[in-house]
Structures are given as structure tokens and as C-alpha cells.
Amino acid sequence: MASKSLIETVRAGETVYLGWVGNPDPLVAETIARAGFGAINLDMQHGLHDPVSVMRAIGSVSAAGVPVIVRVPVGDFAMASRALDMGAQAVIAPMVNTVADARAFAEAMKYPPIGKRSWGPTRAMMLTGDASAAAYLQRANGETLSLAMIETREALDNLEAILDVDGIDGIFVGPSDLSLTLSNGQVVDGDAAFLDEPIRHILKVTQAKGKVPAIFTVSGVRARAMADLGYRIIAVGLDALYLREGVRRLLEPTQDR
């Protein structure tokens, strides 16, 4: 069980650096969690995770004392509810472009009266240590984070309205897709200079609404820059990159000079 929940860390004004895991083996997620990240995201959209691997990885990462986020596939809000039942503390929903998308996501994430989440958090209660349904229910809506991804021109246009949806707790910026859509399919570059203004705009609006700003980055340097701007949950690279860079670093001393 995590020593401090994700929402407690964010409310304390701390920055959470997020490890990104697409490999479905729970040992990979646990190993990355124990390397020092503040939270781990299990990626079902572009990663290889399925419901079974998510369930197993949540247990392994939770045993390491680290909170878990799950990014569900596009439009799979049923999986958002299941991820919470399995013990995830937050869910990232990709391609939330409209108020209707945001409402469907929020309804899956929150119990009444905010949403329509169905009851059944057996595994979540085991991981949180709640001894009764009443104890879990009392805290659930306030301690599970729903992060809507903003990664298209349409989503940017609807940003304020998306944030105004009851049950949406924050925004997760997807820079790669945002660069793709804003360049009309000409560029895929999450660090592109033309993203600077939209990234600042999303941050400013999200903060003004009193909600959580989050973003994906591909390097520690970029992650620190986003933290200095004011983003609070920041993904740093992904597992394939960690493995590749780790191997390269180990092999460097063996190379001919």
C-alpha cells in the first residue's frame, strides 16, 4: 500500500514524476517503480497492457509503495471503472475532445451523485486498507483522479468546457498528438517550439479552474522545465527508452575509442 496517495502528494504542492510502462510483465512495472518514480502509469492505449496485466501490475507496484495510474484505450470508459476497482488511483483518458467525452469519462470515474460508477471495488479496498464499503465510498470520489487528455485542436477549443465538467479532476497534455494535429499532420515532435504557447495556455486555464495539470515528456530536462512552469504530474519517457538508454550506458565503457 502506498505510504502517501497520489492526490495527497498533489494537494501538498509536490511534483510527481511518472514512470511510463507499456510492457505487460508486472515485474517490469515494479522494477521501474522501485527505481525512484513518484507514480507509475500502465499504458493500455499504445502499450501492451490488457486488463489482466493491469490487475497484476497494480498489485506489484502497490507493494513497492508507489501509486498507479492507468491510461485506458480511446473511449474505453468501462475500463476506467475497472482500473479503479483494481486499485488504480488515477486514470488517463486519451482523446477527450468534447464535453460529451468528458462527461462519459467522469461518469465512469465517480460514484453518484457526481457520476454513475458501478459498485465493486473489492481489490481496491484490499489495497487501500478500507475495512468497510462505507469507508471506501466516503473517500473514493475525492481520492481518484480523472485526467482528460488534451491532444487535438478540438480539445484545445473545448478546454474550459471540459474542465468545467463535474468529475474531471485535471488535464493531461499529449504533446506528440498535439504537435501532429496542430501541424496538420506534418510534424510529430512533443518538444516542438510551436507547442510552447498551447502548453502554457493549457496550464494557465487548468490552474485557474483549480484542477491538476499533467503532461508527458521524453526527457528529464524537459520534465524539469515543465515542473518549473507549474505542471504537477509529469511523465518522463517510457520503459522502452529506459531499457535502451540503460543498455547503452552500460556498454559505453566497453566500446573502442
Side-chain angles (χ1 to χ4, degrees):
M1 184 168 60
S3 57
K4 184 189 289 186
S5 73
L6 183 62
I7 190 62
E8 287 173 336
T9 302
V10 172
R11 284 174 180 161
E14 299 176 35
T15 300
V16 177
Y17 290 106
L18 180 63
W20 200 272
V21 182
N23 187 299
D25 192 307
L27 291 178
V28 173
E30 181 182 347
T31 299
I32 293 171
R34 292 183 184 278
F37 283 106
I40 291 294
N41 177 69
L42 307 175
D43 187 11
M44 299 184 75
Q45 183 192 9
H46 295 304
L48 301 177
H49 278 285
D50 61 22
V52 173
S53 69
V54 165
M55 177 270 295
R56 290 174 174 165
I58 288 174
S60 294
V61 174
S62 296
V66 177
V68 178
I69 300 174
V70 175
R71 181 167 75 166
V72 297
V74 176
D76 194 350
F77 302 130
M79 186 61 220
S81 294
R82 294 194 71 189
L84 297 183
D85 286 347
M86 291 173 183
Q89 295 188 22
V91 173
I92 299 169
M95 293 292 172
V96 175
N97 295 321
T98 66
V99 169
D101 293 338
R103 285 176 178 158
F105 178 37
E107 286 179 352
M109 290 289 291
K110 306 295 181 180
Y111 291 118
I114 297 173
K116 299 178 181 179
R117 180 181 168 191
S118 178
W119 183 257
T122 305
R123 177 62 169 159
M125 289 173 60
M126 290 174 62
L127 293 177
T128 59
D130 288 307
S132 70
Y136 180 83
L137 180 61
Q138 184 177 20
R139 299 187 297 105
N141 280 355
E143 296 191 6
T144 51
L145 282 171
S146 52
L147 300 173
M149 286 196 77
I150 299 297
E151 46 192 339
T152 68
R153 191 184 303 275
E154 183 181 16
L156 269 178
D157 291 342
N158 292 323
L159 175 62
E160 290 197 44
I162 288 170
L163 280 164
D164 283 338
V165 171
D166 197 10
I168 296 298
D169 300 308
I171 293 299
F172 194 98
V173 182
S176 294
D177 275 309
L178 195 57
S179 71
L180 186 64
T181 187
L182 294 183
S183 68
N184 294 315
Q186 299 302 304
V187 175
V188 179
D189 181 0
D191 294 342
F194 66 79
L195 292 180
D196 289 350
E197 191 281 328
I199 284 172
R200 289 176 182 272
H201 171 69
I202 294 168
L203 174 65
K204 181 179 179 180
V205 174
T206 304
Q207 289 176 325
K209 298 289 185 179
K211 299 194 175 182
V212 180
I215 193 168
F216 184 89
T217 67
V218 294
S219 72
V221 172
R222 182 70 167 174
R224 182 55 189 266
M226 294 299 101
D228 290 344
L229 275 183
Y231 279 91
R232 293 278 68 89
I233 299 176
I234 304 167
V236 190
L238 68 164
D239 50 354
L241 179 63
Y242 310 152
L243 181 60
R244 184 170 66 247
E245 292 303 309
V247 170
R248 285 177 177 172
R249 183 170 297 181
L250 285 171
L251 289 178
E252 277 179 3
T254 72
Q255 305 303 306
D256 293 334
R257 300 184 183 278

